[in-house]
Amino acid sequence: MPLSPQERQEFLAQPHVAAFAVAAGTGRGPLTVPIWYQYSPGGEIWILTGPESQKMRYLRETGRFSLMVQQVEPTVRYVSVEGPVTRTVPMTDEQHREMAARYLPAESVDGYLKAAEAFGEQVAVYLRPEHWLSADLGDPSAF
């Protein structure tokens, strides 16, 4: 059963690890990798990546990407969203902290941010949700 627009936005706003997908060119399947993301209902989605990463090279070529998030307990549920890149900006320290705090326990954020300095320059890539797929398949024990 599809989720309502409000349900799918609320589900996407939770801190799931997403499957990120972007077209990788003729004769290739999409580049698909796990990624952290940020989203507030009704807004844009944003991710962080290196400005010269493989993800970013394909994003510059295609101008769009997809994210898919799921859970399997207490119910099998997923949301997939696809749309155009609306902007790419240099990552700020505030964005980096916000993303880390979304996924890590509070006591781990500072250590992670210190270690992440080794990642080098990062950019924030924004997506405007355009196409949605979603479903709640129910209790997996009932299958």
Side-chain angles (χ1 to χ4, degrees):
M1 175 168 205
L3 301 175
S4 71
Q6 180 179 346
E7 289 172 322
R8 69 186 185 202
Q9 289 185 42
E10 289 172 358
F11 184 76
L12 189 62
Q14 297 170 11
H16 302 284
V17 174
F20 167 95
V22 62
T26 305
R28 301 267 324 262
L31 170 70
T32 306
V33 296
I35 197 164
W36 290 354
Y37 69 94
Q38 181 59 286
Y39 175 71
S40 294
E44 292 181 306
I45 298 165
W46 55 274
I47 62 165
L48 301 174
T49 191
E52 299 305 321
S53 68
Q54 192 172 25
K55 289 187 293 295
M56 197 63 230
R57 287 193 305 271
Y58 291 141
L59 286 171
R60 279 193 290 273
E61 291 174 17
T62 64
R64 33 189 341 108
F65 67 95
S66 299
L67 293 180
M68 191 279 300
V69 298
Q70 67 177 350
Q71 73 179 33
V72 295
E73 291 180 353
T75 182
V76 177
R77 180 178 274 200
Y78 74 88
V79 169
S80 176
V81 63
E82 184 266 339
V85 172
T86 58
R87 66 189 182 283
T88 301
V89 297
M91 177 191 74
T92 65
D93 290 342
E94 294 78 22
Q95 286 174 312
H96 204 186
R97 179 168 292 281
E98 179 181 339
M99 188 71 77
R102 174 173 165 86
Y103 288 95
L104 299 173
E107 64 274 9
S108 300
V109 171
D110 287 336
Y112 168 82
L113 292 173
K114 180 73 175 159
E117 291 173 6
F119 298 165
E121 182 183 358
Q122 299 281 301
V123 293
V125 180
Y126 289 79
L127 170 141
R128 180 177 33 84
E130 193 171 79
H131 302 286
W132 296 78
L133 291 173
S134 64
D136 188 333
L137 304 174
D139 181 349
S141 66
F143 296 144

